[in-house]
Amino acid sequence: MNLGEKLNKKNFRHENKYFINFFDYSILKSRLEFLMKKDSYSDQNGNYNIRSLYFDDIRNSSLFEKQSGILVRKKYRIRIYNLNDDIIKLEKKSRIGHFINKETVRISKEQYYKIISKNYDFLIDSKKSLLREFYLDLKINMYKPEVIVDFVREAFTYNINNIRITFDKKLESGLKSVDLFNKKLVKTTAIDEPKMILEVKYDSFLPDFIKNALQISASQRYAISKYVICRKYIKTNKWEDN
C-alpha cells in the first residue's frame, strides 16, 4: 500500500510542532483569541491538565522508531484530564510523515487498573476493534506501561477543517509510578527553555488568516515527541539519549 492509499484509508491529519518561548506565546495567544474559540475542556483561565501513560513493546519500538526518524509508526497511550476518572481514553496514534491519525476508545477506571496489572484478557472479547488490537500487542509484542507524561494545555479550536492549535506548558515526566490517578506522583520538569510546545493540527488545509496570525515557517518545525522527552528520565540504555 502506497502513501496515498494509507492516507485515504483513515482520516489522517496534518500535525506540526514548534518550540516557542513565553514572548512568542503571548503574541500568538493575543491573536488567536480574536480568531478561534477556547477548547471545551478549558477552565476559567483557559487551561486544563493532561496526563498520559505511554506504552512500548519489549523492543522499545515506539522510542527507537521516533529517534530513528521512521516515517510510519504508532504508539499507545491512556489519557485522563484534570486527574478525573470521568473520561479515560485509550488512544492509538499512528503517523505517516507529518500526517497523524488518532483512534480513541473510552475505558473505565476498573478496566484501566486491570490493564496496568496485566489482567487484560477481557480486551479480546471486546466489540471494539482498537481494544482487541491493543490486546494482541500487549500479549504478542509484550507492550507494557513505560512513563507518565503530564502537562498543562491551552487549546484553541476552529470548526472549519477541524483546526486545533495548542500551547503545551509545564511538561513533566512521572517517576517510579504508572498510576495515572496517583495525586502524589513524583514528577520532574522534562523540558528546559524554550518552555512551551506549539502544536498546529488540521485536516486538509490551514486558512490564510490563521497562517498569517501564526507567522511560522516550515523551517522552524521540530520533530517533537513528549514521550521521548519524558522517557529519558527513566532511561536504562545509553542509546535512549540519541
Side-chain angles (χ1 to χ4, degrees):
M1 185 181 295
N2 62 35
L3 176 59
E5 291 173 331
K6 289 182 178 180
L7 292 176
N8 289 329
K9 191 175 180 63
K10 293 182 178 179
N11 181 29
F12 276 83
R13 286 160 48 78
H14 296 262
E15 181 184 72
N16 301 324
K17 299 182 180 182
Y18 310 84
F19 283 123
I20 62 170
N21 57 36
F22 187 81
F23 179 74
D24 295 329
Y25 159 73
S26 299
I27 293 175
L28 293 174
K29 176 183 176 180
S30 65
R31 293 172 181 168
L32 295 176
E33 284 177 328
F34 289 101
L35 302 174
M36 304 176 71
K37 294 181 179 179
K38 285 290 183 73
D39 190 281
S40 59
Y41 286 114
S42 303
D43 61 17
Q44 63 272 19
N45 297 314
N47 300 312
Y48 56 96
N49 173 262
I50 294 178
R51 182 176 285 185
S52 301
L53 174 63
Y54 282 81
F55 291 73
D56 213 335
D57 63 20
I58 193 171
R59 298 177 296 277
N60 287 298
S61 296
S62 296
L63 180 63
F64 179 77
E65 289 173 359
K66 171 62 178 178
Q67 292 178 319
S68 301
I70 304 299
L71 292 179
V72 180
R73 57 185 187 271
K74 71 177 183 182
K75 58 175 174 276
Y76 292 104
R77 66 190 178 205
I78 296 177
R79 172 165 285 188
I80 61 173
Y81 302 88
N82 298 319
L83 297 183
N84 294 325
D85 60 7
D86 51 343
I87 298 177
I88 307 172
K89 297 178 180 178
L90 169 69
E91 298 181 337
K92 174 192 170 187
K93 191 172 182 181
S94 305
R95 176 176 286 273
I96 301 177
H98 293 301
F99 298 93
I100 61 155
N101 170 260
K102 187 167 66 176
E103 299 171 67
T104 301
V105 63
R106 296 271 288 268
I107 61 173
S108 68
K109 192 172 184 179
E110 179 185 8
Q111 289 172 326
Y112 163 72
Y113 277 116
K114 282 185 177 181
I115 290 169
I116 65 172
S117 300
K118 298 183 180 181
N119 298 317
Y120 43 69
D121 285 348
F122 72 94
L123 294 170
I124 194 61
D125 297 320
S126 174
K127 295 180 181 179
K128 298 175 180 178
S129 60
L130 178 56
L131 293 182
R132 297 195 302 272
E133 181 183 351
F134 187 45
Y135 169 81
L136 293 176
D137 272 324
L138 289 167
K139 198 76 172 178
I140 298 172
N141 294 316
M142 301 177 68
Y143 272 75
K144 66 183 189 304
E146 288 291 350
V147 67
I148 287 178
V149 174
D150 190 283
F151 59 96
V152 173
R153 169 164 284 179
E154 184 174 3
F156 293 86
T157 65
Y158 193 76
N159 57 10
I160 296 175
N161 213 24
N162 197 16
I163 298 168
R164 283 178 60 82
I165 297 176
T166 61
F167 300 101
D168 293 340
K169 323 166 194 177
K170 300 180 181 179
L171 181 64
E172 295 179 304
S173 175
L175 303 174
K176 300 181 179 179
S177 175
V178 292
D179 184 357
L180 285 171
F181 298 98
N182 180 2
K183 294 184 178 180
K184 296 182 179 179
L185 177 69
V186 178
K187 299 178 290 182
T188 185
T189 301
I191 191 170
D192 298 322
E193 292 287 352
K195 288 289 187 182
M196 297 183 199
I197 299 170
L198 169 67
E199 297 189 0
V200 181
K201 304 172 187 177
Y202 55 96
D203 287 347
S204 56
F205 68 94
L206 197 62
D208 286 340
F209 72 93
I210 293 181
K211 282 183 183 179
N212 294 335
L214 292 172
Q215 292 185 354
I216 295 175
S217 68
S219 62
Q220 295 175 273
R221 191 165 59 218
Y222 293 89
I224 301 168
S225 167
K226 298 183 189 73
Y227 169 58
V228 172
I229 292 171
C230 290
R231 179 74 187 267
K232 69 181 180 181
Y233 293 95
I234 59 165
K235 67 179 182 180
T236 55
N237 302 288
K238 290 183 178 180
W239 64 264
E240 294 180 43
D241 284 330
N242 295 336

